[in-house]
Each structure stands twice: as C-alpha cells, then as structure tokens.
Amino acid sequence: MRMKYLFFSWLGVFIGSWIIYVQYSSYTELCRGHDCKKIICDKYKTGVIDGSACSSLCTRQTLYFGKCLSTKPNNQMYLGVWGNLQGVIKCQMEEIAHIDLRTELEPRKETILFDKPTRGTTVQKFKEMVYGLFKAKLGEQGNLPELVNLILSVADGNKDGRVSLPEAKSAWALLQLNEFLLMVILQDKEHTPKLLGFCGDLYVMEKVEYTSLFGISLPWMVELFIPSGFRRSIDQWFTPSWPRKAKIAIGLLEFVEDIFHGPYGNFLMCDTSAKNLGYNDKYDLKMVDMRKIVPEMNLKELIKDRHCESDLDCVYGSDCRTVCDQSKMKCTTEIIQPNLAKVCHLLKDYLLRGAPLEIHEELEKQLYSCIALKVSANQMEMEHSLILNNLKTLLWKKISHTNDS
C-alpha cells in the first residue's frame, strides 16, 4: 500500500509538473509584449515611425502592458493602462509569408515592415496610395476621397495640421489591418470600440468591460477537465437576465445594420463566436475583436479561383463560406450566409433561454426565419431589412418599459 501511495504521489507530481510546463511554454510563445514594444520603440527612436501613442509608450513610459490576452503569437493583445485610461493594446508580430484562408485573415504583405511610403513621397502621392488601397479593398465608391481625408486626420497623431513621413508609415501599416480600418469607418457608431492611439502598427483601443457574450471565466486547470458539452451548458447558466440579454441582442442587430451596405460597402463577419462580442456596464453591446470582419470586395479577391475539391475548401475564417464549382475545381465568390443569419444562429439559444412565455413562440419563429436567410435568395436585401427590424421591434417592445432599457 505504501509503495502504491508513493507511486501515485510521484505520478501526480509528474503530471502536474508537465501540465504547468506546457502551459508556461504556451504562455511564453503567445505573450511576447516585451518583443513587440522593443520593435516598435526601436523604430520610433530611429525616426522611422511616429503616432499619437509613441511618446507615451517609448519615452514617457505612461502607456504600459498589463495582462496578456493573446490567442495567436503573431497577434499580440494585452490589457493596457495609459495614464488614467484603460484600454486594449494590439500589436502585430512576425511576418506571415503566405495566405491561409482558414486561419490567418490579415497576412503581412510587405517584405520590409514600415517601408512605405518612401522618402520623398508627397502628401498628394500618399493620398493616391491610400485611395488605391481602398479601391482594392472596398471597390469603386464615390465617397472614397472622404475616407482618405478621414485617414489623414487620424494619421496626424500630434495634431499639428500635417502628416509627417513617420506618421504616414504608421498609417500605411495600420491600413493593412481590417480592424483598424473598420474602427475608423465606424468611429461614430455606438457599438464600435474607440481608437485611443497608435504607434507603428501597434494600436490602443477602448477596453470593453465584459469580454464575452455569455459564460464565465474559469482557471485553465479546471477547463482541462470539463467536457465541451457541459462547458456550453455552464455558459448558458451564467448570462445576464433576459431583458438585459435582449438589450445586448438589439445592439448586435444594430451593429449588423452598421456594416451591411454602409457608406463604404459591405463588411462580412467571418467569425461570429461569442468571444468576439462583449458589453459594458449598461448592457450596450461592444465589439471586442473585429479582426475577422472583412470587406466583401477584399474577400472576393482573396478567395476567387482558389483550388477546391469540396465546399470545405472554400471557407474563410470560420464562418464565411462559398461554394466549390466542381466543373472548374475553383471556389466561387458568392458568400452563402449573410451576417444576419450567422448572428441569429448565435443568438438563438441565448435569447430563447428564459424568454417570456408570451413572446417565446414568435421569437423562435423569427429567429429560425432569420437563420434560413441566404445571400442568393430573391429580394434578399428586402428580407434582410424586414427580418432585422421585426426582431428588433419584438425585443424592444418587451423591454422598453423596464429599467434595463
């Protein structure tokens, strides 16, 4: 008995040590904030880049990295403190030389970081560069010059009325990132986190108080031993009250409206998981991560003529799917599901659990109609608007008389 006890004790110590080692190794690979800061600050101190956050990050030391939130080594994400402000710091690491439509949505296209625009580039030439980039990403639109001017005003980090070459280099690097572009386009919208500052391709955005649509954070040791099905049940238990869930859902539907044929074209949500959505203490929806929301024109360019053997080969991110043309063995460019259908699928269990009995049946009917939406359907835009407005009206009527509204 003593030998068995000793054996199992040592076995427990060995397994525990191995788990801790694996987790530590994973953490050191994922969390590279020190490297990120060093690269950015070296570029800033040598005059290559500049931006509204550079001095605070590299000279005055009033912007610093807090808790690591990274899920991929090349997309660094940290809680940050900037003076009296709390935010989220995002920084791009190492170059990605290939485009993998399944995992990496924003590959680095330039072989030398911050090499554009080059010395001697005039402001007018830089404007033409930005316009050309937007035309490729967003398509030909009459109001692109307005967006170019908006970008130049954001790029002017020190607000001296002109864009310097280091500021232009930072802006150009940031414009390769879909999330930054979307934050600028939707800067006046309620559900988009505010851009607080930038330096190179590092940027600081508004912190969202609650960083998942539902669920509860558990220690990683506990997560290892919880079956995925039971974990989903736990997530559904730990949600706000139903009127508050309805208010959050209305916010998500409004965000879908914001990016559906907005002033600069249509954007596609290619990962509608709950971890990318959050809310504040007033239960107003706030997007947590918009890196996988991409311009429709940009997606079509990336996926067209991609070789495929089945529809499974024509997936961008986790939720943007097209069809494989078996006769040509190429992916088509028409997305199967619109954003609204994907959002309704996410909201189905979230809203139906605990819904008032008097609206439960109608709510379920509307959600299933929404999930059935297809991009290829006749009069899709009209159906999209009708279903979205009906859902918002149903939810709003039920909570408009409560304190939660």
Side-chain angles (χ1 to χ4, degrees):
M1 288 296 293
R2 287 179 180 176
M3 289 299 292
K4 285 184 178 179
Y5 176 77
L6 187 62
F7 172 76
F8 284 113
S9 296
W10 277 107
L11 183 63
V13 170
F14 173 76
I15 293 173
S17 301
W18 180 79
I19 291 173
I20 291 171
Y21 170 76
V22 169
Q23 288 295 320
Y24 176 76
S25 300
S26 175
Y27 178 87
T28 54
E29 181 185 348
L30 282 176
C31 301
R32 302 165 59 195
H34 175 76
D35 295 336
C36 176
K37 180 179 177 181
K38 184 178 185 306
I39 292 168
I40 292 293
C41 289
D42 284 349
K43 296 288 186 180
Y44 168 65
K45 289 173 182 177
T46 54
V48 175
I49 59 172
D50 201 357
S52 53
C54 289
S55 175
S56 299
L57 178 69
C58 304
T59 307
R60 291 183 292 178
Q61 305 290 328
T62 54
L63 170 60
Y64 60 89
F65 290 71
K67 180 183 176 182
C68 175
L69 307 173
S70 306
T71 57
K72 288 183 179 180
N74 60 317
N75 287 322
Q76 292 295 294
M77 184 161 65
Y78 281 77
L79 287 179
V81 179
W82 191 356
N84 297 324
L85 293 174
Q86 286 193 324
V88 174
I89 302 171
K90 294 189 177 181
C91 178
Q92 315 309 306
M93 292 291 291
E94 80 225 359
E95 185 172 308
I96 303 297
H98 65 285
I99 296 177
D100 183 350
L101 292 181
R102 293 180 182 275
T103 57
E104 181 59 48
L105 292 178
E106 295 177 336
R108 291 284 184 87
K109 295 181 180 179
E110 294 163 288
T111 54
I112 304 173
L113 192 61
F114 310 124
D115 65 335
K116 293 180 182 178
T118 55
R119 187 173 297 278
T121 302
T122 63
V123 172
Q124 183 58 38
K125 179 63 177 175
F126 181 58
K127 282 176 134 182
E128 291 171 7
M129 287 173 60
V130 174
Y131 182 89
L133 178 66
F134 288 162
K135 187 176 176 182
K137 280 195 169 214
L138 306 174
E140 186 71 71
Q141 304 198 38
N143 54 359
L144 286 186
E146 297 173 20
L147 183 56
V148 172
N149 290 331
L150 180 59
I151 290 297
L152 261 64
S153 68
V154 172
D156 182 14
N158 58 7
K159 303 303 176 190
D160 63 353
R162 65 185 187 87
V163 178
S164 66
L165 181 62
E167 287 173 335
K169 285 179 181 286
S170 292
W172 183 258
L174 287 166
L175 287 175
Q176 313 307 311
L177 309 175
N178 293 319
E179 183 172 58
F180 179 83
L181 176 58
L182 201 55
M183 272 196 296
V184 174
I185 289 174
L186 302 178
Q187 61 180 345
D188 297 325
K189 300 296 183 180
E190 178 184 1
H191 307 298
T192 308
K194 305 302 179 193
L195 177 67
L196 302 180
F198 65 91
C199 184
D201 62 354
L202 174 149
Y203 56 99
V204 188
M205 58 193 289
E206 173 189 3
K207 179 190 173 186
V208 179
E209 193 68 26
Y210 300 96
T211 54
S212 182
L213 196 61
F214 51 73
I216 184 171
S217 296
L218 296 173
W220 62 266
M221 284 288 288
V222 178
E223 291 272 13
L224 288 174
F225 300 102
I226 297 180
S228 58
F230 185 59
R231 183 67 170 102
R232 285 193 294 272
S233 298
I234 293 176
D235 285 342
Q236 291 296 338
W237 295 340
F238 289 92
T239 59
S241 63
W242 191 86
R244 289 171 174 171
K245 288 195 291 186
K247 186 179 181 184
I248 294 167
I250 290 170
L252 181 52
L253 294 172
E254 288 173 346
F255 179 77
V256 170
E257 279 185 298
D258 290 340
I259 63 173
F260 179 68
H261 293 310
Y264 302 106
N266 189 25
F267 283 76
L268 300 172
M269 299 173 73
C270 292
D271 184 356
T272 48
S273 58
K275 71 181 187 306
N276 293 329
L277 313 169
Y279 54 93
N280 61 18
D281 55 1
K282 295 180 180 179
Y283 298 93
D284 297 315
L285 177 101
K286 292 283 185 181
M287 298 302 296
V288 173
D289 194 336
M290 300 189 296
R291 284 177 293 187
K292 295 183 181 179
I293 300 178
V294 298
E296 183 178 24
M297 181 68 67
N298 195 201
L299 174 57
K300 286 183 174 182
E301 284 297 314
L302 286 175
I303 207 168
K304 73 175 183 179
D305 298 328
R306 178 178 169 84
H307 176 76
C308 63
E309 295 182 2
S310 72
D311 291 350
L312 295 176
D313 296 320
C314 301
V315 181
Y316 193 92
S318 58
D319 290 325
C320 288
R321 302 171 184 275
T322 70
V323 175
C324 179
D325 185 343
Q326 295 288 347
S327 63
K328 299 178 181 177
M329 304 297 281
K330 300 286 185 182
C331 292
T332 60
T333 59
E334 200 65 48
I335 301 299
I336 297 172
Q337 267 193 318
N339 294 332
L340 183 59
K342 292 179 279 191
V343 162
C344 285
H345 188 271
L346 175 67
L347 290 176
K348 179 171 68 69
D349 292 337
Y350 186 71
L351 284 176
L352 291 178
R353 183 182 180 88
L357 287 176
E358 59 269 25
I359 69 163
H360 191 283
E361 185 178 347
E362 178 62 23
L363 179 60
E364 186 174 32
K365 178 183 173 184
Q366 290 197 24
L367 284 169
Y368 276 106
S369 296
C370 177
I371 292 169
L373 266 177
K374 299 290 183 186
V375 171
S376 59
N378 293 330
Q379 299 181 320
M380 192 280 293
E381 290 192 23
M382 186 182 296
E383 285 186 47
H384 184 284
S385 298
L386 187 63
I387 290 173
L388 192 148
N389 288 328
N390 285 345
L391 260 176
K392 282 173 58 180
T393 301
L394 179 65
L395 295 172
W396 183 249
K397 277 185 177 179
K398 194 59 192 172
I399 68 169
S400 59
H401 62 282
T402 67
N403 292 332
D404 297 298
S405 64

